[in-house]
Amino acid sequence: MKQSKLNAPHPRSTAGFAQPAGCGGAKQCFAKPRLRPLPGAGLLVGSLRSIIVGRSRARFALICLLTSLASSLALAGVKIEHWIAPSGAKVYFVETRVLPILDVQLDFAAGSVFAPEAKAGLAGLTQGLLEAGAADLDEEHIAGRLVDIGARLGGGVDSDRASVSLRTLSSRPERESALDLLRTVLSAPTFPQSVLEREKGRTIASIREAETRPDAIAAKRFAAAIYPGHPYGVSPTVDSVAAVSREDLVEFHRRHYGAKGAIVSIIGDVSRAEAEAIARRLTEALPPGGAELVPPPVTKPQRGTIKIAHPAAQSHVHIGLPAIRRSDADYFPLLVGNYTLGGGGFVSRLMKEVREKRGYAYSVYSYIAPRKLEGPFEIGLQTKREQVGDALKVVDEVLTGYIAQGPTPKELAAAKKNLVDGFALRMDSNAKLLGYLSAIGFYGLPLTYLDDFPAKVKAVTAEQIRAAFVRHVKAENLVTVVVAAD
């Protein structure tokens, strides 16, 4: 089961913008957008178009080549068009003629938060088995057709959403075949019983293996501790996966993969009219529901420490709490502030104090991962069992001091420079930009998010950072989990 990880800059974040996210959401149509290629890119595109011939493996190799070349072509002046399809699906579109490629992604409110606790794992199994059979096609036929047309299906599941994505050549024969297959997979999955049993067996084996690892134990117990009684804190178990039936998958798909709740993101070598036809085609056969699916409210935990016995030589430590929604106005102050605290690697305070000055840990980090509801703020590290108490004391001192005082002018300037200068590298290909489009749509962010990002980061002040941490990282709600504790 694939888990998407969003939110710049830390790679472990889950709902912001390494696979993207801002605030609010205008729903309007904009003038026809285009991405402008570098000078001379037209000659490259003409050459690439001239070689889009040959059989399936040649096509597939060409897509791989185009994917690698895409990162070398600058994307500038990103404009996002938005409209509502006749089915009720929300559509986000960027036209770019830089490369003969089309990327499409559909997102649904079908994350793990919507599965009942007794059947945790249902969301991942549903998404994972979409390609296992659809209409009159079995998984071998689906895989074979993808190879024949040189296309690629992907996707994943996180706490809030499930996604299905397609990458294909934009030439009409390949594009039409790929879109037909995607439509079939989305609207007519068969969820074969034999494949379900196979995947349940694999998932159960993975769960049993994870139950022996201190890092996996710590992550699971930490989620349960900071989200008491909430689906965000529930992890699949052997029993919950074993309890999932084919009928459960059919019903979950019917309820959560509906057209009215779908977010369709399209980027590539097609026109607005073609994009409208694509969105209509992909969503008109989906179940009619899917709208207004919202997780239950989050309750903040009480401060506490949980120690779990394990024979590992290193203690695994997680400290945190539910902090912020993706739509919260404090997103940018927390994003910038977290870079200095623990998200900036060797330049962060936690790294300097815990590792460089005292040698308590090889790595220590912090991240903020906003979701539809309050996503986690977390500090994590590994240290020797005998010095875990000392390490925790240093972490507490650093965090308390940072909340009270905020970053220094030098720290703030460095954080802003890194986030702004690195932003272009996080959207230098169609695939990366697709992640931003889907997050903008799913989290209701402004259509100008990409243009606004540098200015929003630069506008953050030290006082805003301090105030945001005071509001969202409260000592009375911090939970500490230590696996392999004495």
Side-chain angles (χ1 to χ4, degrees), residues 125 193-209 238 241-242:
L125 286 167
Q193 184 67 40
S194 60
V195 181
L196 173 60
E197 293 304 321
R198 182 191 72 201
E199 294 307 312
K200 284 170 61 175
R202 289 177 177 176
T203 303
I204 288 171
S206 177
I207 291 171
R208 285 179 169 148
E209 189 273 333
V238 169
V241 171

Side-chain angles (χ1 to χ4, degrees), residues 190-272:
T190 55
F191 302 119
Q193 184 67 40
S194 60
V195 181
L196 173 60
E197 293 304 321
R198 182 191 72 201
E199 294 307 312
K200 284 170 61 175
R202 289 177 177 176
T203 303
I204 288 171
S206 177
I207 291 171
R208 285 179 169 148
E209 189 273 333
E211 287 174 345
T212 68
R213 301 198 324 266
D215 58 334
I217 295 169
K220 182 176 179 178
R221 292 297 298 271
F222 178 71
I226 66 172
Y227 292 108
H230 192 274
Y232 277 165
V234 175
S235 300
T237 66
V238 169
D239 290 340
S240 71
V241 171
V244 174
S245 68
R246 180 183 177 278
E247 290 71 27
D248 294 324
L249 271 65
V250 171
E251 176 60 21
F252 193 83
H253 176 268
R254 184 196 66 79
R255 178 171 172 76
H256 292 275
Y257 285 74
K260 287 184 171 60
I263 305 295
V264 184
S265 304
I266 303 171
I267 176 170
D269 184 22
V270 292
S271 67
R272 163 69 184 254

Side-chain angles (χ1 to χ4, degrees), residues 108-154:
F108 303 90
S112 60
V113 71
F114 296 106
E117 183 173 0
K119 297 191 177 182
L122 170 60
L125 286 167
T126 302
Q127 194 281 338
L129 266 68
L130 291 175
E131 295 179 50
D136 59 348
L137 301 173
D138 62 20
E139 60 182 338
E140 290 187 8
H141 283 95
I142 291 173
R145 285 183 60 176
L146 288 169
V147 171
D148 287 343
I149 57 179
R152 185 171 67 208
L153 282 178

Side-chain angles (χ1 to χ4, degrees), residues 134-186:
D136 59 348
L137 301 173
D138 62 20
E139 60 182 338
E140 290 187 8
H141 283 95
I142 291 173
R145 285 183 60 176
L146 288 169
V147 171
D148 287 343
I149 57 179
R152 185 171 67 208
L153 282 178
V157 176
D158 64 17
S159 296
D160 289 328
R161 57 176 167 159
S163 64
V164 181
S165 62
L166 169 72
R167 165 160 283 203
T168 179
L169 294 170
S170 60
S171 48
R172 183 169 294 276
E174 289 79 14
R175 184 183 77 199
E176 294 303 302
S177 295
L179 290 170
D180 278 344
L181 184 58
L182 178 59
R183 173 187 163 114
T184 302
V185 165
L186 285 168

Side-chain angles (χ1 to χ4, degrees), residues 24-30 78-82 91-92 440-441 445-452:
K27 305 274 194 271
Q28 301 175 1
C29 296
F30 279 65
V78 179
K79 301 293 184 183
I80 301 171
E81 290 191 77
H82 169 57
V91 187
Y92 296 80
I440 286 169
L445 309 179
L447 299 185
T448 57
Y449 179 89
L450 300 176
D451 291 333
D452 295 343

Side-chain angles (χ1 to χ4, degrees), residues 307-320:
K307 295 184 177 182
I308 301 160
H310 193 278
Q314 294 267 321
S315 294
H316 292 248
V317 179
H318 295 259
I319 305 162

